[in-house]
Amino acid sequence: MEWLAEAPEALQASGLGAWARGPAYAWLNVLHLLGLVLLVGGIGILDLRLCGLGREIPAAALARFLTPFALLGLAVAIPTGFGLFAADAVSLAASGTFRWKLALIGLGLANAAAFRLAWQRQIEGWDEGPSPAGRLVAAASLAIWLAVATLGRMIAYT
């Protein structure tokens, strides 16, 4: 497990780390934020609908429309987040705030996978109203992704 402790130092000292600390840092930050906006915007609106708001909008159609934006956001946020991590890997690896953010990202992804497996086929029926468990999963998703965004911003201040 010694390699795990040395990995942040090696990453920060690598060419990727040096590149990310340079002029690329600002663009990585902007792109990471845009990815987060697409992810949380898409997931958040869908979660609000699945919690019961906006019932005049068909849930299945909204899911089909917003899910690709959320996936695109995730596809942008992951590599840009890795680049930002590479720029300051040693201090970020030691940050409790950063570790909580990573844990919540994992929880958010697990929650999304659980939703897909358990409720995706039933989404058509949610136009009348979601089940209490479905509402709980959607509310948890919204809370998790908002917490991820909040922790991401708080990293700079902790």
Side-chain angles (χ1 to χ4, degrees):
M1 290 302 247
E2 188 176 316
W3 67 269
L4 192 57
E6 296 170 356
E9 291 175 20
L11 180 60
Q12 187 171 317
S14 72
L16 176 62
W19 173 78
R21 280 189 301 281
Y25 189 84
W27 287 107
L28 287 169
N29 229 330
V30 167
L31 291 172
H32 192 67
L33 181 60
L34 290 175
L36 182 66
V37 167
L38 286 169
L39 173 64
V40 177
I43 293 286
I45 292 169
L46 183 57
D47 285 339
L48 289 171
R49 171 61 190 90
L50 297 177
C51 283
L53 299 175
R55 288 191 181 168
E56 64 277 2
I57 303 167
L62 189 63
R64 279 191 306 275
F65 178 71
L66 291 177
T67 299
F69 290 103
L71 291 173
L72 175 61
L74 186 62
V76 170
I78 289 173
T80 56
F82 186 75
L84 291 169
F85 177 73
D88 194 21
V90 173
S91 66
L92 286 173
S95 167
T97 304
F98 179 74
R99 289 194 304 265
W100 272 107
K101 177 185 174 184
L102 290 183
L104 286 177
I105 289 169
L107 185 60
L109 292 173
N111 186 51
F115 174 83
R116 282 277 190 208
L117 292 173
W119 284 288
Q120 184 62 33
R121 291 188 177 96
Q122 301 170 10
I123 200 167
E124 298 283 343
W126 286 29
D127 289 340
E128 289 80 42
S131 68
R135 283 184 190 215
L136 181 62
V137 169
S141 172
L142 184 60
I144 289 166
W145 291 114
L146 290 174
V148 166
T150 301
L151 289 171
R153 290 305 311 140
M154 295 307 295
I155 289 170
Y157 305 103
T158 58

